Amino acid sequence: MSEKTIINTLSKLAATPSSSSLIRLFDDEPSRLQRLSIQAPGLYADFSKQKVDEKSLNALLAYAEARNLGGFFAAMRAGEVVNPTEHRAAQHMALRAPKGENFTALGTNISETVANERARMRAFADDIRNGKRQGVTGRAIRTLVHIGIGGSDLGPRLLMQALKRYHAPGIDLRFAANLDAADINDALSGCDPEATLVIVVSKSFSTAETLANAQVARAWLVQHLGEDAPTLHMAAVSTNLAATADFGITDDNVFAMHDWVGGRYSLWSSVGLSVMAALKEGAFEDMLAGAAAMDAHALTTPVAQNAPLLSGLIQFWNRNFLHMQSRAIVPYAARLALLPSYLQQLIMESNGKSVRADGTPADLVASPVIFGAEGTNAQHAFFQQLHQGPDPASVDFIGFIADQEHNPGHHHGVLANMLAQSRALMGGSPAPKDAPHKNFTGNRPSTTLLMDALSPFSLGALLAFYEHETVTQAVLCGINPFDQWGVELGKHVALEVLSHLEKNTTQGMDASTAALIKRITHPR
Ligand code: F6P
């Protein structure tokens, strides 16, 4: 069957009554739960509360086949060009592969490079944790300041918050990303310069925010410790080794990134150096192992039983056929509060595109608007709209079986709330007579991801699950999930506006921007 025929079938199926009632689907399909739930490494995925029935699922599977989804994953694993606008491979899986697996990028073997860089990271991180790495006055490094933004910030920040139980004692890791000077000032505030190491993380080493914050940190070190301070108090992670040298960072303190890994897929690389040093020994590697286990599942399991790929198919269905424009990510764990921000970049920077990889206009949509917050807090923020808003969103509920805080009262409450919300969204509740405001239509879809515990392994598996799901949606829509040209125009215009702000001019600006510039440069 051609792609077009399957798309027509999917459109027709989306309009049939059986696709419109979730409760009816459970009644009609006794084996529904079994068919739509998957035990994958690190997580149990329950898609049965999504609005797919046997027919739509079969059509989606046929479409995945027509789009050669398996072939794309095989090409990605083989290090072929899967990012055509930049003529690059996307080898994030190589960064977390177990020893002995061989990876190439555009025909060049990269496994040795990965192993060597990981060994360097481990030695550097251990020296920090064990107090062997010292600053210019001989004091041991105890504080790390991680400077980076986007993919060079969100993952490490998420890991540190999520894995608080695994923090190495005595190491304080702080982050600065924002161009607002308050961010770097807050990060440096109270730090003892003699015991501080600044790690500048930037794949390009040309990102304005990161370079501005790195300059502040450098000046702070020089002011307190003298001109030589950066040699022992600064490190960098980048592909741009010429720029790190120009900045004055000693080669021994520079860790490589590679053009075969995109920023938002790079958590597994030396981008995680600060986290490796600030977590107990082995935790970072356990996280890599969780992701590698999810990779093996994604690469070898038929799509119908493949958790991330099936999830990608369902989200593709929700966005393009059920016309759901947004998707909420709600982890029921206080320490996963940063997960929605991380996934916003992963999903929307990868898939928020209107042109196919071959340059033709995209007629299918690969990304909804992603938003979210941690449960139960989210229930008191945007759940009103999820239950009664006119524009239903699909929800991802993420929960953990283990009571890691040893407080069964709280823990059962958290899980009960999570299960209750997905049930309430599905089942709804009719309005009592004369109280239309109490009507809950129900029939609102969700996915539940249930994990054993919030551990490095399960977190690695969860993040890899979302990576593969993101790539799946891109393949189904024919777009390139590995470039991000959409961020370039804003950067360019920012430079133009900056020059006007500094020179107090407005020539060539539109009337609105010109007036705003004048208000800023001539406050009333
Ligand atoms: O926002 C654009 C972007 O290029 C992201 O893709 C990337 O994660 C971020 O900026 C940071 O880039 P770099 O690591 O090169 O500083």
Side-chain angles (χ1 to χ4, degrees), residues 91-387:
Q91 272 299 29
H92 40 287
M93 288 192 282
L95 294 165
R96 57 222 189 187
K99 260 195 186 132
E101 282 196 19
N102 205 37
F103 280 78
T104 57
L106 310 193
T108 303
N109 195 299
I110 56 170
S111 297
E112 207 181 310
T113 311
V114 171
N116 291 343
E117 207 58 14
R118 183 141 3 121
R120 280 189 68 218
M121 280 170 74
R122 180 36 75 206
F124 195 88
D126 286 350
D127 279 355
I128 292 171
R129 250 199 357 271
N130 299 334
K132 285 196 196 144
R133 186 157 286 272
Q134 298 170 348
V136 286
T137 60
R139 293 268 306 281
I141 297 295
R142 297 281 86 190
T143 301
L144 304 174
V145 178
H146 178 121
I147 297 177
I149 196 163
S152 295
D153 166 72
L154 292 164
R157 211 185 267 262
L158 163 66
L159 285 190
M160 279 313 284
Q161 193 183 60
L163 300 177
K164 197 162 181 203
R165 296 170 58 78
Y166 300 82
H167 283 192
I171 301 290
D172 179 16
L173 172 55
R174 297 155 174 231
F175 293 91
N178 203 306
L179 187 55
D180 179 347
D183 211 17
I184 184 67
N185 289 344
D186 285 353
L188 294 175
S189 167
C191 287
D192 175 354
E194 292 182 50
T196 298
L197 176 77
V198 174
I199 306 182
V200 185
V201 184
S202 175
K203 186 179 166 187
S204 59
F205 222 77
S206 66
T207 302
E209 293 93 330
T210 301
L211 292 186
N213 285 332
Q215 291 290 4
V216 172
R218 191 180 195 287
W220 176 82
L221 286 168
V222 168
Q223 184 201 339
H224 290 283
L225 302 173
E227 277 301 326
D228 291 340
T231 330
L232 292 181
H233 291 265
M234 290 196 92
V237 177
S238 186
T239 53
N240 189 346
L241 305 188
T244 56
D246 273 359
F247 196 87
I249 300 178
T250 328
D251 283 355
D252 280 354
N253 290 356
V254 177
F255 293 81
M257 289 175 80
H258 300 277
D259 68 3
W260 37 260
V261 179
R264 55 193 173 277
Y265 299 85
S266 67
L267 168 62
W268 328 96
S269 72
S270 37
V271 166
L273 177 67
S274 59
V275 174
M276 195 190 236
L279 292 181
K280 288 180 183 156
E281 191 176 348
F284 191 80
E285 286 82 353
D286 287 348
M287 196 254 320
L288 298 183
M294 185 58 74
D295 293 343
H297 170 81
L299 288 168
T300 58
T301 313
V303 180
Q305 289 93 45
N306 190 316
L309 274 61
L310 185 60
S311 185
L313 259 62
I314 290 169
Q315 294 304 331
F316 168 76
W317 164 252
N318 284 345
R319 182 67 189 87
N320 290 283
F321 302 95
L322 303 185
H323 307 295
M324 305 184 91
Q325 294 176 12
S326 52
R327 174 182 182 189
I329 308 282
V330 188
Y332 275 71
R335 289 188 181 148
L336 280 184
L338 295 177
L339 182 68
S341 311
Y342 178 84
L343 294 181
Q344 275 178 333
Q345 190 204 14
L346 176 65
I347 301 174
M348 294 204 282
E349 194 168 79
S350 295
N351 287 351
K353 295 167 188 171
S354 310
V355 171
R356 292 165 61 93
D358 63 9
T360 57
D363 44 5
L364 294 163
V365 189
S367 174
V369 172
I370 303 293
F371 68 104
E374 71 278 26
T376 55
N377 302 17
Q379 293 173 195
H380 301 274
F382 53 80
F383 269 54
Q384 160 66 40
Q385 171 148 339
L386 291 183
H387 285 285

